[in-house]
Amino acid sequence: MVHATPHSALNVQPKVPEDYEISQAATPEHISQIAEIAGLRPDEVDLYGKFKAKVKLSVRDRLKDVPNGNMVVVAGITPTPLGEGKSTTTIGLCQAFGAYLNKKVFTCIRQPSQGPTFGIKGGAAGGGYSQVIPMEELNLHLTGDIHAITAANNLLAAAIDVRMFHELAQSDTALFNRLCPANKEGQRKFAPVMVRRLAKLGINKTDPSALTPEEVRSFARLDIDPQAITWRRVTDTNDRFLRVITTGQGPEERGQTRETGFDIAVGSEIMAVLALAVDLADMRERLGRMVIGTSRSGDPVTADDLGVGGALTVLMKDTIEPTLMQTLEHTPVLVHAGPFANIAHGNSSIVADQIALKLVGPDGYVITEAGFGADIGLEKYMNIKCRASGLSPNCVVLVATVRALKMHGGGPPVVAGTPLHHDYTNENVELVTKGCCNLERHIANIKTYGVPCVVAINQFANDAPSELEAVKQAALAAGAFDAVVCAHHGLGGAGAVDLARAVAAACAQPSEFKLLYPLDLPIKAKIEAIAKQMYHADGVEYTPQAEAQIEKFTRLGLDKLPICMAKTQYSFSHDASKKGAPSGFILPIRDVRASAGAGFLVPLVGLIATMPGLPTRPCFYDIDLDTVTGKVVGLS
């Protein structure tokens, strides 16, 4: 069982220093001490230095009879490009529970992507006096999970292209003989992964020499349609010039060029597999059934068809274990899976939640976070993650800021790297009140899931008391269980104590969790349920490409999967310029992709890009290394 963390006073400064300065000034506990306080045994953690450790899944088995704790998910209103402090609120809330209210608590968050870390938003360790530390280790390489995902994803991409290359140059017999080479005695055998393809083809033979010529051809020749390949390469860097590329231009590739592209690494289906798999066996099956495209005859081609499912699992084997870290006030944190709820699943892992819920026990709290605004991150948390795990939240915390509500009320655009307009730094209750339509829409959406909503008003230095009160009254009028002004950025857990009390009260309320749609609806009906009920669109329109994909996935039996919308995070609609609470629009679906291994379909809405770009002045301008002390400077 987790023992509550004793109160550890922060050395709070009136003027909040830079995030990295606060992190580096802190004295973290050795991670073995955090593990012990959290109720983990020495043989249930693998240390990665002094301040990180991997947690073994065996802890679930040991604690299987312990009732689960309370699950709280933190979401947000539609954000500005600067972010509204959702991660900071998540961490501040945990510090309040553990260091001030003496409650058992665990934070479950996602590993930050290096794309935003060096791009626009910076890292995702929280901020001010509500951070996960050491923040440099969290924001950079951590324990290598994203690198493993990148390696696995790109190994599969390489396997696709090289298989087409060799099939084009070889006869059926030559191809088969190379796939099943004879040993010194002239005997051939199938690799274990090949048995999976044989079973898929209905070939019940174990001796390669027993196959008929027709069976040899169907086994050895995947006949991948280059135009139907959906699998793309990934890198964990915002690089817009990799969005569309041409491969195979070298002289040794015999003119076999193909147009493809890169996605951000955390948007890989393999990241979603990690987030939704419950153990290594489940991960192995999910990786093997990932569909990379179809053959020329229209049959799905999987990673196991390519013979690479087992190798992907080997690359991913250590990633199944969450990483243990700590907050500034020494409450425990599990970091697992990745961000980008606009183009990906965007939630931390089922495994981390399961472990944390057992460790805190029935009187404790597990605080997790859903990416970006509640219309996308929370919707996926509810309809994908909760559906897959069988878990459901006791409370939703909705983070709102005066700044974002002023933007939704008609304020000037908020642009990263540009000073805020005076409307955002001076009192303007009317502008805030107009923008509360966005807050009210999110509260109404959350109520459809049957879970109480507590609004956390994340206070910034320029916010006037009258503006904060206007937000609070609007939230309560819209049906929030409670609305609390928070100052955790400048005070740490002490600034979120009232929020923690409100969350505890909300968790004690009865709730009736409801999903948005049943899986047996047709693909279009599920898309339209999200579009109309969450986004408030009047309807949905599909390009011919999207129509063709929906028809194909229905024919392949993938129509019973949930939906993972890829949509801008800056509006309820597909148009990022439409602020507030737009309605009456038609949502355009330009394409639909299948993530059969992860277990969902991905409609691409409007012009959403699956590889972000860099701004004129990225965060990397401020990041450097003090070569005397070895410390990172400028990381936010």
Side-chain angles (χ1 to χ4, degrees):
M1 283 290 182
V2 171
H3 300 288
T5 305
H7 171 56
S8 176
L10 292 170
N11 183 22
V12 172
Q13 303 297 314
K15 179 175 171 44
V16 180
E18 295 292 334
D19 291 348
Y20 74 91
E21 293 174 330
I22 294 173
S23 176
Q24 291 173 0
T27 304
E29 298 282 357
H30 195 283
I31 199 63
S32 60
Q33 178 66 19
I34 298 295
E36 181 180 353
I37 292 172
L40 292 162
R41 295 175 176 175
D43 63 350
E44 291 172 337
V45 294
D46 283 330
L47 303 185
Y48 278 60
K50 296 179 180 179
F51 307 124
K52 299 174 292 187
K54 283 281 194 175
V55 178
K56 296 184 179 299
L57 273 56
S58 59
V59 67
R60 288 183 311 186
D61 299 327
R62 176 170 65 86
L63 300 175
K64 64 181 183 298
D65 296 327
V66 176
N68 285 343
N70 295 281
M71 173 64 76
V72 178
V73 57
V74 179
I77 64 171
T78 307
T80 70
L82 305 179
E84 308 317 308
K86 199 162 65 276
S87 298
T88 305
T89 301
T90 300
I91 295 157
L93 177 58
C94 291
Q95 292 180 172
F97 268 125
Y100 293 87
L101 298 186
N102 203 35
K103 297 293 184 181
K104 302 167 185 176
V105 68
F106 241 107
T107 313
C108 292
I109 60 171
R110 303 156 297 160
Q111 181 182 350
S113 164
Q114 291 182 27
T117 297
F118 292 98
I120 295 177
K121 284 184 65 179
Y129 291 102
S130 294
Q131 290 190 56
V132 177
I133 57 172
M135 63 93 80
E136 304 97 315
E137 296 191 27
L138 174 64
N139 283 320
L140 298 176
H141 306 287
L142 196 59
T143 48
D145 289 358
I146 292 179
H147 298 317
I149 288 164
T150 302
N153 185 102
N154 294 343
L155 175 62
L156 180 52
I160 295 166
D161 285 319
V162 79
R163 185 59 173 263
M164 292 191 297
F165 176 82
H166 290 305
E167 284 192 18
L168 194 63
Q170 299 177 49
S171 67
D172 296 344
T173 301
L175 188 63
F176 180 78
N177 288 342
R178 286 180 170 86
L179 289 171
C180 300
N183 61 19
K184 293 179 179 179
E185 289 74 36
Q187 297 175 329
R188 303 180 188 276
K189 67 176 183 178
F190 293 117
V193 71
M194 294 177 175
V195 176
R196 293 172 179 253
R197 174 155 177 80
L198 291 167
K200 176 181 175 180
L201 296 171
I203 301 173
N204 188 25
K205 297 177 180 179
T206 58
D207 182 1
S209 64
L211 268 61
T212 66
E214 292 77 14
E215 290 171 337
V216 165
R217 177 176 177 80
S218 62
F219 167 78
R221 197 164 293 280
L222 301 181
D223 197 26
I224 298 169
D225 182 355
Q227 301 303 314
I229 296 171
T230 55
W231 196 263
R232 291 156 60 91
R233 289 166 171 83
V234 299
T235 184
D236 197 34
T237 303
N238 289 1
D239 191 345
R240 66 187 306 139
F241 288 94
L242 292 178
R243 289 172 178 169
V244 180
I245 65 166
T246 302
T247 59
Q249 293 189 338
E252 301 298 321
E253 279 60 69
R254 306 171 189 161
Q256 293 185 38
T257 59
R258 182 171 70 86
E259 186 176 283
T260 179
F262 276 73
D263 295 333
I264 191 77
V266 292
S268 169
E269 181 180 352
I270 297 177
M271 176 63 86
V273 166
L274 172 62
L276 296 170
V278 295
D279 53 34
L280 277 174
D282 185 22
M283 176 185 281
R284 171 63 183 88
E285 294 305 313
R286 289 174 180 269
L287 291 172
R289 67 174 182 255
M290 293 188 304
V291 174
I292 60 89
T294 59
S295 67
R296 285 187 171 87
S297 59
D299 296 320
V301 179
T302 68
D304 273 346
D305 288 329
L306 286 157
V308 74
L312 300 181
T313 311
V314 169
L315 285 170
M316 290 289 293
K317 67 181 180 65
D318 294 332
T319 69
I320 194 67
E321 298 176 344
T323 299
L324 179 68
M325 295 189 76
Q326 63 189 289
T327 67
L328 280 166
E329 298 187 84
H330 310 305
T331 59
V333 180
L334 288 178
V335 186
H336 210 204
F340 278 83
N342 56 343
I343 59 172
H345 166 261
N347 283 273
S348 62
S349 73
I350 289 174
V351 163
D353 289 352
Q354 291 174 332
I355 291 173
L357 286 166
K358 295 299 182 185
L359 285 167
V360 300
D363 298 324
Y365 298 86
V366 173
I367 318 296
T368 189
E369 177 187 3
F372 287 124
D375 56 315
I376 46 179
L378 184 68
E379 185 274 312
K380 294 170 185 178
Y381 171 87
M382 298 294 197
N383 293 301
I384 297 177
K385 184 178 180 181
C386 289
R387 194 192 302 267
S389 69
L391 301 170
S392 60
N394 298 91
C395 172
V396 174
V397 173
L398 182 67
V399 179
T401 63
V402 166
R403 178 179 68 194
L405 292 173
K406 284 182 174 179
M407 178 189 72
H408 290 297
V414 176
V415 181
T418 301
L420 287 171
H421 189 274
H422 62 78
D423 281 347
Y424 295 101
T425 55
N426 294 316
E427 182 176 2
N428 191 330
V429 176
E430 181 182 1
L431 198 59
V432 174
T433 302
K434 287 181 179 178
C436 281
C437 60
N438 185 269
L439 171 66
E440 293 158 359
R441 168 79 62 81
H442 282 294
I443 293 171
N445 284 355
I446 291 167
K447 290 174 68 177
T448 65
Y449 296 110
V451 179
C453 172
V454 173
V455 174
I457 306 167
N458 187 19
Q459 182 177 4
F460 290 178
N462 293 318
D463 296 345
S466 59
E467 295 173 326
L468 296 167
E469 182 64 21
V471 179
K472 180 175 181 176
Q473 293 306 317
L476 294 173
F481 176 80
D482 204 347
V484 182
V485 177
C486 311
H488 44 274
H489 181 272
L491 297 175
V497 169
D498 288 344
L499 175 63
R501 291 192 174 114
V503 168
C507 287
Q509 300 299 306
S511 61
E512 295 183 11
F513 177 68
K514 295 174 287 187
L515 294 167
L516 189 63
Y517 55 83
L519 291 182
D520 57 3
L521 287 179
I523 293 172
K524 283 188 176 181
K526 287 180 281 196
I527 292 173
E528 288 162 18
I530 298 170
K532 292 179 179 180
Q533 295 182 56
M534 291 292 106
Y535 309 158
H536 292 247
D538 268 2
V540 181
E541 63 181 9
Y542 303 88
T543 65
Q545 169 69 9
E547 293 276 9
Q549 292 292 83
I550 289 171
E551 186 280 326
K552 178 173 71 175
F553 297 147
T554 301
R555 174 173 52 83
L556 295 176
L558 300 177
D559 55 319
K560 299 301 185 286
L561 297 177
I563 301 299
C564 183
M565 301 286 268
K567 180 187 78 72
T568 179
Q569 67 270 34
Y570 295 127
S571 173
F572 277 107
S573 78
H574 59 286
D575 183 348
S577 68
K578 293 185 183 298
K579 304 301 183 184
S583 60
F585 57 90
I586 302 298
L587 193 76
I589 305 296
R590 82 167 191 267
D591 199 0
V592 182
R593 297 178 183 175
S595 292
F600 50 70
L601 299 177
V602 185
L604 302 182
V605 180
L607 300 177
I608 186 70
T610 51
M611 167 59 82
L614 290 170
T616 303
R617 192 187 188 283
C619 292
F620 61 63
Y621 275 93
D622 299 313
I623 299 171
D624 211 326
L625 187 72
D626 184 325
T627 56
V628 175
T629 65
K631 291 182 177 181
V632 175
V633 297
L635 194 61
S636 63

